Amino acid sequence: MNFAQQLSKLMDSRALTNYQLAKDLDIHPTTVANWLAGKTPRKKTLAILSDYFGVSVDYLLGNEEAHAAYEDDDELNEMLEDVRRNPELRAMFSITKKATPEQVRQYIKVIKALRGGDDDE
């Protein structure tokens, strides 16, 4: 796979539109459309996308077959997505990048407790 295919796959897995990804990254939606049409972003932008999606730059570029995302754990992915989409907690999402699934669950429980949320959802 090439970069455009990998990006499309990652966006599809999170039901992200060009507009939403552009908004999350504070860029113009045309930039995302250009990427999906085959333009490869600069190294700095690849690093930002790598952090955003929780994958390696090599994966984004199509140089890795598999990535470290929690593909088989829909519940965990849903929790991660909730945290990632919350502006106050987006920075907290970065701590999950190299965490085990159990560590991620614990982080989310702590975050919900701090926010006064129910951790039994």
Side-chain angles (χ1 to χ4, degrees), residues 12-71:
D12 288 347
S13 73
R14 291 167 174 78
L16 286 172
T17 63
N18 292 14
Y19 176 79
Q20 184 61 51
L21 180 60
K23 182 179 174 188
D24 289 351
L25 298 177
D26 195 27
I27 58 174
H28 197 278
T30 303
T31 303
V32 177
N34 289 339
W35 294 339
L36 292 170
K39 184 174 181 182
T40 302
R42 297 177 185 184
K43 289 180 184 179
K44 182 178 178 182
T45 305
L46 284 169
I48 292 168
L49 287 166
S50 170
D51 286 342
Y52 179 86
F53 285 109
V55 298
S56 70
V57 171
D58 278 339
Y59 178 78
L60 282 175
L61 294 173
N63 298 330
E64 285 183 7
E65 291 296 317
H67 59 85
Y70 306 107
E71 293 177 342

Side-chain angles (χ1 to χ4, degrees), residues 9 15 17 23 33-34 40 69 76-77 87 90 93 106 108:
K9 179 180 170 184
T17 63
K23 182 179 174 188
N34 289 339
T40 302
L76 180 58
N77 282 317
R90 193 172 299 149
F93 181 72
Q106 290 174 3
I108 291 171

Side-chain angles (χ1 to χ4, degrees), residues 70-85:
Y70 306 107
E71 293 177 342
D72 298 329
D73 194 334
D74 291 338
E75 177 187 7
L76 180 58
N77 282 317
E78 185 177 329
M79 287 189 289
L80 288 171
E81 189 67 17
D82 288 343
V83 172
R84 186 191 61 78
R85 287 184 185 263

